[in-house]
Every structure is written in structure tokens, then in C-alpha cells.
Amino acid sequence: MIHAFIKKGSFQDSVSLMIISRKLSEAPEVEEISVMMGTPANKSLLDVTGFWHDMFNEATPNDICVSIKAESDDPAIIDMISTALEEALAEIASGQKGGNKLTTVRSWRTAKQKSTNANMLLISIAGEYAAELADTGLEDGCNVMLFSDNVSIADEKALKEKAAAKGLIVMGPDCGTANIAGAPLAFANIAPKGSIGIVGASGTGIQEITSQIVLQRQGISHSIGLGGRDLTEQIGGISAITAINMLAADPNTRVIAFVSKPPAPAVRQKIIAEMKRHNKPIVAQFLGTTPEKFQDDNIYFTRTLDETARVAAELARVEDIAAELPKVAGKKIIGLYAGGTLAAECAMLLSEKLNVEVDNEHKQGTMLDAD
């Protein structure tokens, strides 16, 4: 049967509640426990997954909904789990015991004063308050990552337009993953540093591409999440364009991988036009669409996450080699081929890609001078 209770006015982010759910589920008296904020989306999820209780109709987005599956009908289970929940919340509030203590503040202004060099604000609070705080962060010259959801489309667009005008970016709302200069944020893979930058309106897409890139023995410069609505017609890809421009200007990023949920057709064309403005290779995967061709100028269109990662890794290898050429001026690239046509073809392709001249004076082969 389902036992349930609501803890009023106690907002927690989804990461904390996931940890708490797992911990409380270890109690021998229960089968499963779900701990979620009372947002409309979460209520729907509780219903679909079989954790619904009618009392959740009374919950607001600032309330914690606790649903307990247990064989026993003993109401004491509620008291036991409620006590365990309070202990878990207190433990999160005080930080991990024995670990390094983080500076605790009660307002954004105080936080900014204590970290004057900070240029990124990560927001994980109730959605009804998130937009106002994000606006304050932009006023103070900070990029914003909105882990919070339940932010209106109107607020999202206004925030992103303001950020773009200031040369900043708003990631989100409901941006679940990012990796900025090697710092993983929210749900994120720890990946080696490399030359591939990822832009994504799909959090799981970003994480899978990251994992596959690492398996290809390449690394990440930055991963920038956009939130699931950025490429809708209402928002128009504002943050996507900003992210592409940021990575195009970043000297540590030589290849850009882009992934999104099905975009609005007009926004897709707008993003493609923006990509063509830059000379860096860009691997683009627009989920829900079938590419008409593999390559268009500097853009390589892919259909799957695996293909996106593989093509990005191959391009990164080429770009990394090309970046090293100025350091080896005067040296040559030598290839041994069983046939002059094969050698000539390879020389032509390398010459075009690396912008070097072909030396054809050797009859048995072809050499490229890297001067």
C-alpha cells in the first residue's frame, strides 16, 4: 500500500532529493520511497510511476512530497520515515561530516562579495523565485546556469535576451548538466581536458556524447547546456547562438559538437547559418531530423549520438595535428604507398586540409613541406 505525507515549505533540489530517496529506501520496513518537490511535472510522474496519493493535490512546488510503498498498513511507518527525512535534510544542510566546509551565505549579494572574481551563478531554488535571482546575477555580470525549472517562457526569453546583450549566457531553465573549464556542474561526467566543446539542448545527449568522446581517447574543453526549450520557436535559440560564438572564440576549443532535441524548423536554419559564420569544424545532430547530406561547408551532420562523438573525435585529431604544424616548421610528412595514384590523392587531401604545398619532385612518393 501507499503511505504518504507532505513537508511544507522546504525546497530542495532534485539531486539532494534523489540522494535522500535512495537513503530512505534502505529502511527494511519499506519497499520503495519516492521523494519529490510538488511541481506539476513531478505530480504527473508520481501518478505514472504508481506513487500517487490524493493528498499530493494539496502540495505546492515548494513542498516535499514523500510516497512510501510498503506491505504493512502500520501508520507508524510515516513517523519513522518523517524522522529519517528530517535527519537527512539536516545532514545536507550542515554539509558532509569531516569534509571541507563550504562558505555559507544567505543572499546572492553576500555570495558575490565573498567571491568577487566569480563569473558564474548556478541557481537551484524554487522556480517562482529563480528568474528574479537570475536577473540579479546578470546585472552583476555573471553567466547563469538555471538548474531550476518551472520558469515561464516569457521570463526565459527575457533573461536570455538580456544575457546576450551583455555578452553573457543563460543556460536553462531546467539545465541539468554542464562542464565549464573542467568543472562539472549538476549531473555531469568528469572528463579529461581536450579540444572538443559541446553545446546541447539535451542533457542526456551531452552526457552520452561526452562519454563516447572519452572512449575515443579525446577530451572536452567545455560542455554548455541550453535547457530543453532554447531551440523552440518562442525562444529562438538565443543561448545556442551565444554558446556557439563562445566556443568559436575559445582558443582551447578546436571542434564543436552540437546536439538538440527536435528544434523548430526556422530555428534550425538560424542555428545552421550561425555555425557557417565560423571556420571551426562543427558536428551537428538535430534529433528528429534526417540529414540531407553529411557535410555542408564546416558543418558535419550526424544522426546518432555515437556518430556525433566519433566524427568530433576524428576531426579533433586532425585539428590537433594541424595546430602542431607551426611548431615543426621545416619538417615533412612522409607517406609510403603502393601506387602513385593513392599517394597523390592523400597528398591532395592533406594539402587542402593543412594548407601546405605538395612536393612532387620525388618519383617514388609524395612529400608535404610544412613550411
Side-chain angles (χ1 to χ4, degrees), residues 149-170:
D149 58 3
N150 293 310
V151 175
S152 71
I153 290 179
D155 283 340
E156 177 178 350
K157 186 172 183 179
L159 289 169
K160 290 185 172 182
E161 288 176 339
K162 184 171 187 173
K166 290 177 169 288
L168 302 169
I169 190 170
V170 171

Side-chain angles (χ1 to χ4, degrees), residues 182-224:
L185 304 175
F187 292 99
N189 301 79
I190 297 176
K193 290 185 178 180
S195 58
I196 301 174
I198 304 175
V199 179
S202 167
T204 51
I206 290 176
Q207 294 206 50
E208 178 62 16
I209 289 173
T210 299
S211 298
Q212 293 298 326
I213 285 173
V214 174
L215 290 176
Q216 293 282 338
R217 300 184 181 278
Q218 290 292 312
I220 305 300
S221 58
H222 310 277
S223 296
I224 303 176

Side-chain angles (χ1 to χ4, degrees), residues 22-293:
R22 185 173 58 199
K23 184 174 182 179
L24 298 185
S25 294
E26 295 174 355
E29 295 85 354
V30 305
E31 297 176 6
E32 292 181 86
I33 293 181
S34 180
V35 184
M36 293 184 172
M37 299 307 301
T39 64
N42 285 344
K43 288 181 181 180
S44 177
L45 187 59
L46 287 167
D47 188 19
V48 170
T49 55
F51 283 95
W52 179 255
H53 192 284
D54 287 343
M55 77 164 53
F56 295 150
N57 286 317
E58 305 171 7
T60 73
N62 290 324
D63 302 333
I64 298 177
C65 297
V66 182
S67 181
I68 309 159
K69 288 185 178 180
E71 291 185 2
S72 172
D73 59 359
D74 186 355
I77 290 177
I78 293 178
D79 293 333
M80 179 192 67
I81 296 302
S82 179
T83 299
L85 174 64
E86 295 295 340
E87 293 174 352
L89 292 173
E91 185 174 332
I92 289 175
S94 63
Q96 295 297 323
K97 297 178 180 179
N100 294 328
K101 299 293 184 181
L102 298 176
T103 301
T104 300
V105 296
R106 295 186 177 277
S107 71
W108 161 246
R109 294 298 183 191
T110 304
K112 193 67 174 70
Q113 291 170 2
K114 290 181 177 292
S115 302
T116 55
N117 295 326
N119 67 354
M120 171 71 72
L121 168 60
L122 194 161
I123 299 175
S124 181
I125 61 176
E128 61 186 293
Y129 309 113
E132 182 179 357
L133 179 56
D135 186 76
T136 302
L138 292 174
E139 285 292 335
D140 288 343
C142 284
N143 299 285
V144 173
M145 179 176 177
L146 269 170
F147 188 80
S148 303
D149 58 3
N150 293 310
V151 175
S152 71
I153 290 179
D155 283 340
E156 177 178 350
K157 186 172 183 179
L159 289 169
K160 290 185 172 182
E161 288 176 339
K162 184 171 187 173
K166 290 177 169 288
L168 302 169
I169 190 170
V170 171
M171 299 184 287
D174 198 21
C175 178
T177 185
N179 189 317
I180 307 300
L185 304 175
F187 292 99
N189 301 79
I190 297 176
K193 290 185 178 180
S195 58
I196 301 174
I198 304 175
V199 179
S202 167
T204 51
I206 290 176
Q207 294 206 50
E208 178 62 16
I209 289 173
T210 299
S211 298
Q212 293 298 326
I213 285 173
V214 174
L215 290 176
Q216 293 282 338
R217 300 184 181 278
Q218 290 292 312
I220 305 300
S221 58
H222 310 277
S223 296
I224 303 176
L226 307 174
R229 297 188 306 209
D230 192 72
L231 270 69
T232 61
E233 190 172 356
Q234 298 97 319
I235 304 299
I238 298 172
S239 288
I241 291 173
T242 300
I244 291 168
N245 291 337
M246 285 179 167
L247 292 181
D250 175 37
N252 295 319
T253 300
R254 293 173 182 153
V255 176
I256 299 172
F258 183 96
V259 61
S260 82
K261 297 173 182 176
V267 178
R268 179 178 183 271
Q269 293 305 315
K270 181 179 178 181
I271 298 301
I272 290 173
E274 189 67 28
M275 290 175 174
K276 289 183 177 179
R277 290 184 54 249
H278 305 290
N279 58 8
K280 290 184 178 180
I282 300 176
V283 185
Q285 180 187 1
F286 296 96
L287 295 169
T289 62
T290 300
E292 297 179 358
K293 52 185 173 180

Side-chain angles (χ1 to χ4, degrees), residues 272-351:
I272 290 173
E274 189 67 28
M275 290 175 174
K276 289 183 177 179
R277 290 184 54 249
H278 305 290
N279 58 8
K280 290 184 178 180
I282 300 176
V283 185
Q285 180 187 1
F286 296 96
L287 295 169
T289 62
T290 300
E292 297 179 358
K293 52 185 173 180
F294 173 63
Q295 185 177 359
D296 185 4
D297 291 340
N298 63 317
I299 308 174
Y300 299 80
F301 294 101
T302 55
R303 294 189 65 226
T304 67
L305 298 170
D306 175 74
E307 184 186 10
T308 301
R310 177 168 46 80
V311 173
E314 291 172 355
L315 290 169
R317 292 187 188 99
V318 174
E319 294 297 321
D320 290 346
I321 292 171
E324 294 297 317
L325 285 178
K327 301 177 184 178
V328 293
K331 296 186 178 181
K332 298 179 184 294
I333 299 174
I334 303 174
L336 177 63
Y337 290 86
T341 300
L342 300 178
E345 180 185 59
C346 181
M348 175 190 68
L349 295 174
L350 286 172
S351 174

